Amino acid sequence: MDYVSALLPPAVMAVFFIGVIRVIVKTQGGANKAKEDAAVDAALARVEGARQPGAAPSKTDA
């Protein structure tokens, strides 16, 4: 019976891992893809906009 208790945690983790992968694959694309892409684009634009005006010169610019 020791082998059952030794194999149970990896088997449970494998089942959860497969479930997570299935959820990720199912949620890719579809109706929400444009909304998610727009949110990522807005976040990247915000980061780039905040970085450009107050950008400190790098060591290679000196």
Side-chain angles (χ1 to χ4, degrees), residues 12-47:
V12 170
M13 290 181 66
V15 169
F16 281 120
F17 181 72
I18 291 169
V20 167
I21 296 301
R22 288 186 65 190
V23 167
I24 290 171
V25 169
K26 281 186 174 185
T27 58
Q28 294 300 308
N32 291 329
K33 183 169 177 32
K35 186 168 54 171
E36 292 170 358
D37 288 347
V40 169
D41 289 341
L44 288 174
R46 218 175 15 247
V47 168

Side-chain angles (χ1 to χ4, degrees), residues 2-17:
D2 288 338
Y3 62 90
V4 174
S5 63
L7 291 176
L8 187 62
V12 170
M13 290 181 66
V15 169
F16 281 120
F17 181 72

